[in-house]
Amino acid sequence: MTFFGEWLTMWQMIKLASFNTLAVIATLLCVGCSTVRNGEGVAYKVKMRGANDRTVKRAVKESTATWKLRKQSPSTVGQLQYRMEKDLDIIQSLMESRGYYDGTAFMELDAERDPVRATFVLDLGEPYRFRNIDLFFLGDADAALGNIQPRVRRKQHAEASSVFEEQRRILDVLTQQGYPFPKLVKRVVKVDRERQVVDVTLVFDPGEPAYFSEALVEGLDELPDQYIFRQLPWTPGERYNAREVADFERKLLESGLFKSVRVEPQEPATYTNAIPITVRVAERDKRTVRLGVNYSDIGPGAKMYWEHRNFFGGGERLESSLTWSPIELKGSGTLTRSGFLDAHQALVLDVDASRETPDAYDADALVASGMILRDFSTRLQGGIGVGSKYSLVEQFASKEHYHYIFFPLQAIYDSSNERLNPVRGEKIFGRTSFFNDTQGGESFLKSQVEGRHYGMLWERYRLSSGLRLTLGSIDGAAVDTVPADERFYAGGGGSIRGYEYQAVGPQVAGVPVGGDTLFEFSTELRLQPGKRLGYVAFIDGGTVYNELLDNFSRSLRYGAGLGVRWFTTIGPLRADFAYPLNPDGGQVERLQFYISLGQAF
């Protein structure tokens, strides 16, 4: 064949290939045009039938592309069908992970409607239950490990999440019993479809038991190493415990001295089981100045606060404040030294000078006290101390000088999840102080306990509840011999909202006189549907009893109201409107307004 003939044959082959390619493209475009809706893709609505387990329904909506991408319309109905078919495998896995091993799922696609209807139909069947949960530990483990029992119980709904949570829990327990690097080496899950039960076997390798070695501190600038060492909750040679390591890291962060803290166990050296601990810190500025304002039934208020977190060079914290309101002027200072005589203890020294002028009395007071606080656990703290109080108190044109030596004893249990905006947990505070009159007058015992409970009712909209109960008692002396500024009063923003400050309880000639027994309660329903705004409905109640005037015959007073919360980076800003439900004749203003930082309790 000549060169010209070869060139002509090649040209014919190129034309034929080009024609075939164009034909394929044209065909695909025609097919696409026949299934595209409105030129912007296939709009569709997706539904689910048969999933009567809310956890399954929520998981399907959170995990499948048909739901997550419903606002991103596919180009064709065929692409939507492909999307749903891929999701069927995911749905099947989700049902099995929640114990529905006999569950089935299929899809329905109605392309004749506009928008297109995409439906998943689920038949969950009966949930499987756990039958046997067996734990095994390799090596020459301590006998104590044999006492680790699974928390997953027989006949419990066989969800995969329960098995994973059990794994994490047991690994955490091992780190608290002296095994810093445990591992899960085998997980066996057997499904008995005939009996609809699941057997689980978990095999762990605890590793070698370990002990604390010396601690190494890095990153300190102005603070001495001794500040860290005197607060170490362990000594070299003690059995390793990961919880103590985590708690110590949290404690250092809460001191306010550091921008960052990392307390990390290191691999032991060869032929040893001593775990070195490295404490890496980055110091922050030692001084803080804050200004704050608030408004309540007694009018506007202001506070100036200054803090130094390394006052004597050893990590001592000095906090001072000046508070003003129409009825009070108060200056206070608090010096705290952590690690006092023991790693779990702190010495707290307080000095307060104040002048109070509420309707009930006028009082000038100077109080100095010292207390040793001890952390028994991350949630429980106790304290004991001694103090002195000088005061000049005037009530009904009668002035009295008082000097008491008092001995406070207190305990705090706190499992709440946040300080300014708790939604879960409890907090219980109890304090009792024996007041000894150095001038020969009657001594007395003043006690008060307050319990709070927080619970999440609806996670999706962060609907939670808050409950508060406060009880107080003064014993050992007649109430009229107790200084007026030490008696109990009720009413106001931190007490029974809707009533004027100190207005609930016994009165003489319209002046509150206080009492020796206190009873208060509050209940709140809190809603936070968005990131910034929240809403509160509340009811408060209680009263103060005075054995000389009413002998416990006084009825309770109730207040109710609504509030708004504006959530900021430093906590919720609170604004409450409250109304007294059953006031007595002494209540002048019916609607009370309060604004401050943080929840009411």
Side-chain angles (χ1 to χ4, degrees):
M1 182 180 294
T2 64
F3 175 80
F4 178 78
E6 292 178 354
W7 182 87
L8 181 61
T9 301
M10 185 178 297
W11 172 249
Q12 289 174 342
M13 292 175 63
I14 293 174
K15 289 197 299 180
L16 180 61
S18 301
F19 176 79
N20 291 336
T21 302
L22 291 173
V24 170
I25 295 175
T27 302
L28 291 175
L29 289 175
C30 290
V31 172
C33 292
S34 65
T35 54
V36 172
R37 301 291 185 90
N38 301 324
E40 297 181 356
V42 178
Y44 68 92
K45 290 185 177 180
V46 58
K47 294 184 179 180
M48 182 168 23
R49 297 203 310 265
N52 50 12
D53 186 320
R54 292 183 178 179
T55 61
V56 174
K57 183 180 292 186
R58 182 170 61 249
V60 170
K61 291 181 178 180
E62 292 175 351
S63 304
T64 55
T66 308
W67 253 280
K68 293 192 298 183
L69 303 179
R70 61 187 181 276
K71 294 184 179 180
Q72 301 177 22
S73 301
S75 300
T76 67
V77 173
Q79 289 183 7
L80 174 58
Q81 180 177 346
Y82 177 77
R83 181 181 292 181
M84 296 180 69
E85 290 172 349
K86 296 288 288 184
D87 284 340
L88 284 178
D89 294 334
I90 297 175
I91 293 173
Q92 192 68 43
S93 298
L94 289 172
M95 290 190 295
E96 292 183 1
S97 70
R98 281 154 179 80
Y100 297 101
Y101 287 91
D102 294 334
T104 59
F106 63 92
M107 51 177 275
E108 295 177 353
L109 186 59
D110 187 354
E112 300 301 322
R113 303 182 64 178
D114 190 11
V116 172
R117 296 296 191 268
T119 305
F120 290 104
V121 182
L122 279 62
D123 182 4
L124 299 180
E126 291 298 320
Y128 282 39
R129 307 286 176 176
F130 287 117
R131 181 172 57 185
N132 297 318
I133 308 294
D134 298 317
L135 306 180
F136 295 97
F137 301 94
L138 302 180
D140 299 326
D142 291 346
L145 297 183
N147 296 324
I148 299 178
Q149 299 298 320
R151 289 185 180 177
V152 176
R153 301 302 180 188
R154 289 171 59 90
K155 298 183 179 182
Q156 181 178 328
H157 196 160
E159 297 188 28
S161 60
S162 299
V163 178
F164 295 137
E165 289 173 5
E166 187 73 350
Q167 293 174 197
R168 288 191 293 268
R169 185 188 70 84
I170 295 173
L171 290 172
D172 185 56
V173 170
L174 291 173
T175 62
Q176 296 173 32
Q177 295 194 359
Y179 298 92
F181 308 108
K183 299 177 182 179
L184 174 73
V185 295
K186 183 184 291 186
R187 177 179 61 246
V188 180
V189 179
K190 294 183 178 180
V191 180
D192 187 338
R193 295 186 179 274
E194 180 180 352
R195 295 178 176 83
Q196 294 186 322
V197 294
V198 176
D199 297 327
V200 178
T201 301
L202 301 176
V203 183
F204 297 90
D205 181 6
E208 293 296 324
Y211 301 84
F212 283 112
S213 181
E214 299 292 337
L216 175 66
V217 180
E218 299 177 356
L220 289 180
D221 184 15
E222 298 182 23
L223 285 169
D225 291 353
Q226 188 59 33
Y227 174 79
I228 302 292
F229 292 136
R230 74 169 184 254
Q231 297 187 75
L232 285 174
W234 62 81
T235 57
E238 286 186 7
R239 191 67 176 264
Y240 177 82
N241 189 324
R243 177 172 292 179
E244 288 187 341
V245 174
D247 290 345
F248 184 54
E249 182 178 277
R250 176 192 54 80
K251 182 178 180 179
L252 293 179
L253 278 172
E254 292 178 350
S255 70
L257 285 165
F258 308 106
K259 294 183 291 186
S260 64
V261 176
R262 295 288 294 176
V263 182
E264 299 175 324
Q266 307 298 317
E267 289 284 353
T270 307
Y271 306 116
T272 181
N273 57 356
I275 300 293
I277 303 296
T278 301
V279 182
R280 296 185 177 91
V281 298
E283 294 185 31
R284 59 176 292 198
D285 187 76
K286 303 300 183 294
R287 298 170 182 81
T288 298
V289 177
R290 290 197 296 264
L291 298 174
V293 295
N294 66 285
Y295 186 88
S296 67
D297 49 340
I298 61 176
K303 183 176 183 178
M304 183 172 64
Y305 174 89
W306 180 80
E307 177 184 14
H308 195 300
R309 289 176 289 273
N310 191 25
F311 192 68
F312 291 120
E316 300 84 2
R317 172 184 288 188
L318 177 63
E319 302 169 90
S320 62
S321 64
L322 181 64
T323 305
W324 173 87
S325 74
I327 63 170
E328 181 185 38
L329 180 61
K330 180 179 180 180
S332 63
T334 301
L335 181 67
T336 303
R337 179 178 174 82
S338 301
F340 179 73
L341 301 180
D342 188 272
H344 301 282
Q345 293 182 167
L347 175 64
V348 181
L349 304 177
D350 281 301
V351 177
D352 296 328
S354 63
R355 176 169 179 78
E356 296 180 89
T357 58
D359 293 340
Y361 57 84
D362 291 346
D364 297 318
L366 177 63
V367 184
S369 66
M371 178 172 282
I372 296 177
L373 299 178
R374 182 172 182 85
D375 295 324
F376 295 100
S377 70
T378 56
R379 297 181 176 181
L380 180 62
Q381 182 190 76
I384 187 171
V386 63
S388 176
K389 179 178 180 179
Y390 293 87
S391 62
L392 172 63
V393 182
E394 179 179 358
Q395 189 175 50
F396 298 113
S398 175
K399 291 185 178 182
E400 294 286 345
H401 286 270
Y402 298 96
H403 179 210
Y404 287 96
I405 301 296
F406 61 93
F407 303 89
L409 179 67
Q410 72 178 38
I412 302 175
Y413 174 82
D414 189 357
S415 65
S416 58
N417 64 322
E418 292 185 31
R419 186 171 65 90
L420 292 177
N421 185 37
V423 295
R424 291 184 179 87
E426 291 80 31
K427 184 172 185 179
I428 302 173
F429 172 81
R431 181 184 177 103
T432 183
S433 299
F434 177 72
F435 286 79
N436 180 52
D437 192 337
T438 63
Q439 301 179 114
E442 291 191 60
S443 300
F444 61 92
L445 184 70
K446 182 178 181 181
S447 306
Q448 185 169 334
V449 60
E450 179 171 302
R452 304 176 182 181
H453 172 78
Y454 310 98
M456 180 62 71
L457 304 178
W458 193 359
E459 185 72 41
R460 181 177 180 182
Y461 294 103
R462 291 186 62 83
L463 178 65
S464 62
S465 63
L467 305 173
R468 176 182 69 93
L469 177 65
T470 304
L471 303 173
S473 176
I474 296 176
D475 303 285
V479 66
D480 59 338
T481 64
V482 175
D485 62 335
E486 288 293 346
R487 301 172 196 164
F488 292 115
Y489 299 86
S495 176
I496 307 173
R497 286 166 288 185
Y499 292 85
E500 297 173 359
Y501 182 67
Q502 296 185 341
V504 175
Q507 299 184 4
V508 174
V511 177
V513 295
D516 53 4
T517 303
L518 170 69
F519 172 74
E520 289 180 352
F521 72 88
S522 296
T523 177
E524 287 193 347
L525 198 62
R526 303 171 179 173
L527 177 67
Q528 185 185 346
K531 293 183 179 181
R532 289 297 183 185
L533 275 180
Y535 310 93
V536 173
F538 59 85
I539 297 178
D540 297 343
T543 192
V544 168
Y545 297 101
N546 186 314
E547 61 179 8
L548 298 180
L549 298 178
D550 47 37
N551 196 24
F552 298 97
S553 62
R554 181 176 302 277
S555 62
L556 300 181
R557 300 298 176 190
Y558 302 94
L562 300 173
V564 179
R565 304 291 184 265
W566 178 260
F567 294 94
T568 69
T569 55
I570 59 174
L573 183 64
R574 171 172 70 102
D576 288 337
F577 296 86
Y579 187 85
L581 299 180
N582 60 336
D584 56 20
Q587 181 79 9
V588 178
E589 297 184 7
R590 295 303 176 93
L591 184 64
Q592 302 292 329
F593 173 65
Y594 315 92
I595 183 170
S596 64
L597 183 65
Q599 297 284 6
F601 61 89

